[in-house]
Amino acid sequence: MIIIKDGSHAKRIIKLLLCTGEFPYYSLGILGEIHSVKRAVKRMSEVHEVRVDSRDQIYYGKIVNISGKGQLKTVRLNAYALPLIESLFPDMMEFYRYHTRNHRFKGDSVSVDRNHRVAEAIAMFLMAGIDLFSNSVPPLEANTTNRKEYVIPAYYHCRQLKTLIEDELKKNQYTRIVGSVFYESGCYAVYNTRNSVMMLSGEGESKTRKHLELLANKNAYYSSVQNALLFGKTYEVAERTLLALDSNQKESQVFGNIYQRYLFIPMDSFGVKLIQLYTTGYWMEDMLNQLFEPHQVRHEVGNFKYDAKAEDMHYLSFLDSDIVKLRSVRNHIRKNPVNLTVICFKEQVAFLKSYLGESVKMRTYEIGEIMDTLECERRTGL
């Protein structure tokens, strides 16, 4: 017997699939201890008596289906369980049917991979306590101005973004964006490179950024979109992406010309905390003010993008996970050695030593310490 109740893996997995449509089997670790989550999914894919806590309603059958092999192995809701699921989450069914085209899925590898990229990003935001289904998120307006403060961050699915302005849909069909998050002091484009080197379509991504700026201008109190969140499986993906840029001049130019910053986020529990930090209003300015004296902070623009300087010591803060800034510093110090201290979270040390060199000086912080200092809201996740 499976009992669906608040806090159970079963209820969390159902809510996730209502938001994502399908989910990669091998990424279930995003939801918690991977073996525990996989056991729950396996039971849900078998025929069982299913009861809903505090109700007399009983369903007999499968809740989810598992199909595919290897990296394309995917988890989807079972069609026969949808009436039961609708009774649990009536406000989410319209969202689910719209984004799955009424519970229809393409089985080709390209479509499944694309759906998995989108689903992993959604899962990370849900775990960070940022919702996306329609009744919990203010609707975006494309043709009228209705500005909001976004004190509570809101995530928008890539299909929502693409269908808002019909004329833009065709122009943006080659973008790799998986969504966008609006928060109090800014908007991020969201990408997910999974376990691969990030490759961008220059024209498609530039049009996407302009599209987001139009939406931001009509829906929020800012109109510039200069930052992107880049998800990857681990920091090893970030390093491979950065090293690949050194041997591909065209891709290097595209990478640096679309967004000013790419904030790399690993898809794990540490990455969930980074999302909570990076969606706190004015976090970047407040963090620099906490780390340095005003006269130490660097304000001029140049190719060597350090954050502060005290006497002859240059400081790079990687607490913002900005890999564009990180690459500029590495390129500079390889040709022009300087005294450099990198400020980072403990989870980032191995990656930074591998990319910058073992001899680089480090000052490390616990992420909880920074979140407490900036008074970040620790939202309850999925």
Side-chain angles (χ1 to χ4, degrees), residues 113-114 117-118 158 162 172-179 189-194 196-201 204-205 208 229-230 251:
D113 179 72
R114 171 68 178 171
R117 288 177 190 273
V118 174
C158 55
K162 288 183 178 182
N172 290 330
Q173 62 182 335
Y174 298 112
T175 182
R176 299 190 70 178
I177 193 170
V178 296
V190 181
Y191 294 85
N192 180 12
T193 193
R194 307 194 77 197
S196 304
V197 169
M198 183 62 180
M199 302 291 287
L200 296 171
S201 165
E205 306 308 338
T208 296
L229 300 182
L230 175 59
E251 189 67 23

Side-chain angles (χ1 to χ4, degrees), residues 266-311:
M267 290 191 286
D268 55 22
S269 59
F270 172 63
V272 170
K273 294 176 183 176
L274 288 179
I275 293 173
Q276 293 182 330
L277 173 61
Y278 298 161
T279 53
T280 298
Y282 307 98
W283 67 272
M284 195 174 294
E285 299 91 335
D286 290 346
M287 189 163 62
L288 287 175
N289 290 336
Q290 291 291 333
L291 292 172
F292 306 109
E293 295 297 325
H295 68 276
Q296 296 175 328
V297 177
R298 174 180 179 269
H299 297 289
E300 71 272 17
V301 177
N303 292 327
F304 182 25
K305 298 181 179 181
Y306 62 91
D307 289 292
K309 185 177 180 182
E311 297 179 351

